[in-house]
Amino acid sequence: MKRRILLIAGLISALTLLTGCTEVNIPITSESEGFWNTYIVYPLSQLITYFAEITGDNYGIAIVFVTIIIRLAILPLMIKQTKSSKAMQAIQPEMQKLREKYSSKDQQTQQKLQQETMALFQKHGVNPLAGCFPLIIQMPILIGFYHAIMRTEAIAEHTFLWFDLGERDPYFILPLVAGATTFIQQKMMMAGTANQNPQMAMMLWIMPIMIIVFAISFPAALSLYWVVGNLFMIIQTYFVKGPELKAAAKDGGSKK
């Protein structure tokens, strides 16, 4: 569990580092140099601009379209990550028995626990790191899209619905919706596991709060991206984890 917490903390730190670099305030153009700008940020910026042009210079709709396209592109990775999480969840009872059997903290017992745990993984064909690889692969894409939104100057000059894309939502509606959809999406992903894992239950509340805090400070265009991405993930999770969600709902109803 400590390794998982360290992994999550590492990913958050990497995200903060990448999104907080100085280039985020420098407009992206065809003259921007470097692999990151040339092959990730600029093409995504051009894709947003292309959809804006074919939708009547509507950059809000363009962000919605590109968000959906990106989510569809990384959908296989997300499905693989979900399947890996389900496989790990299935062997949790056996892992708990091993922890109880080898509860002593001395080095010899802990080594035995690690050996038994690895044997359990091999028996069920589970790779504990398999769920991390899809996340690591998709992170540059999502961060690149964040940069494309923040660094495409034309976006800040347009409006969508009730807000200016380059300014904060004046009514804080988008940040609240972004936080709420983040909570719903995580709740669905953690169906059946949050009660067994206090650390995961804690993350269920921390992430939505972080999203709201960030969304309040950032341009509304980025909040729009988060909302659309979360809605896509909610629909995806419903179809991928449908049986588990129904089972969790039944368990919750029976407890009442």
Side-chain angles (χ1 to χ4, degrees), residues 7 77 80-81 127-139:
L7 176 61
L77 294 174
K80 184 175 181 180
Q81 183 181 347
N127 183 351
L129 297 179
C132 302
F133 292 139
L135 182 62
I136 293 172
I137 293 172
Q138 65 183 284
M139 284 297 282

Side-chain angles (χ1 to χ4, degrees), residues 55-70:
T55 55
D57 219 25
N58 192 323
Y59 278 84
I61 292 294
I63 290 173
V64 172
F65 281 165
V66 178
T67 300
I68 294 174
I69 289 172
I70 289 176

Side-chain angles (χ1 to χ4, degrees), residues 10-234:
L11 289 173
I12 293 175
S13 299
L15 177 62
T16 303
L17 177 63
L18 287 172
T19 56
C21 61
T22 55
E23 282 194 332
V24 77
N25 295 317
I26 301 176
I28 186 71
T29 68
S30 59
E31 298 179 356
S32 297
E33 299 179 350
F35 178 89
W36 174 252
N37 290 326
T38 304
Y39 296 103
I40 297 180
V41 181
Y42 183 68
L44 289 171
S45 174
Q46 288 297 99
L47 190 60
I48 295 172
T49 302
Y50 170 76
F51 277 101
E53 290 174 351
I54 66 176
T55 55
D57 219 25
N58 192 323
Y59 278 84
I61 292 294
I63 290 173
V64 172
F65 281 165
V66 178
T67 300
I68 294 174
I69 289 172
I70 289 176
R71 289 294 177 178
L72 286 172
I74 65 177
L75 181 58
L77 294 174
M78 297 301 296
I79 292 176
K80 184 175 181 180
Q81 183 181 347
T82 301
K83 288 182 177 179
S84 176
S85 298
K86 290 169 67 175
M88 284 295 294
Q89 180 182 345
I91 64 172
Q92 283 303 309
E94 295 182 62
M95 291 184 64
Q96 183 60 35
K97 290 180 181 178
L98 287 177
R99 295 190 192 100
E100 293 173 356
K101 181 179 179 180
Y102 300 103
S103 57
S104 178
K105 299 300 181 181
D106 62 274
Q107 184 176 359
Q108 184 175 358
T109 303
Q110 288 301 301
Q111 288 179 347
K112 185 65 175 177
L113 173 60
Q114 292 179 6
Q115 293 172 359
E116 293 286 343
T117 301
M118 292 305 298
L120 180 64
F121 289 155
Q122 293 176 358
K123 176 183 176 182
H124 293 276
V126 174
N127 183 351
L129 297 179
C132 302
F133 292 139
L135 182 62
I136 293 172
I137 293 172
Q138 65 183 284
M139 284 297 282
I141 300 173
L142 298 178
I143 295 173
F145 190 39
Y146 160 85
H147 272 248
I149 292 174
M150 294 290 287
R151 299 171 61 187
T152 302
E153 291 185 302
I155 292 177
E157 300 170 359
H158 289 79
T159 61
F160 182 65
L161 298 177
W162 69 88
F163 50 86
D164 293 325
L165 291 170
E167 302 293 335
R168 295 181 297 176
D169 181 349
Y171 306 112
F172 304 111
I173 296 175
L174 275 181
L176 293 175
V177 174
T181 52
T182 299
F183 177 84
I184 294 170
Q185 188 266 325
Q186 288 197 140
K187 184 74 172 178
M188 294 172 70
M189 285 293 294
M190 296 179 187
T193 62
N195 292 333
Q196 304 173 13
N197 193 325
Q199 287 83 3
M200 295 300 288
M202 181 176 63
M203 290 300 296
L204 179 64
W205 294 98
I206 291 177
M207 287 304 295
I209 293 173
M210 288 177 60
I211 290 294
I212 291 174
V213 172
F214 290 151
I216 288 175
S217 305
F218 290 164
L222 192 61
S223 299
L224 177 64
Y225 156 60
W226 278 334
V227 169
V228 176
N230 285 340
L231 291 175
F232 183 96
M233 288 291 293
I234 288 171

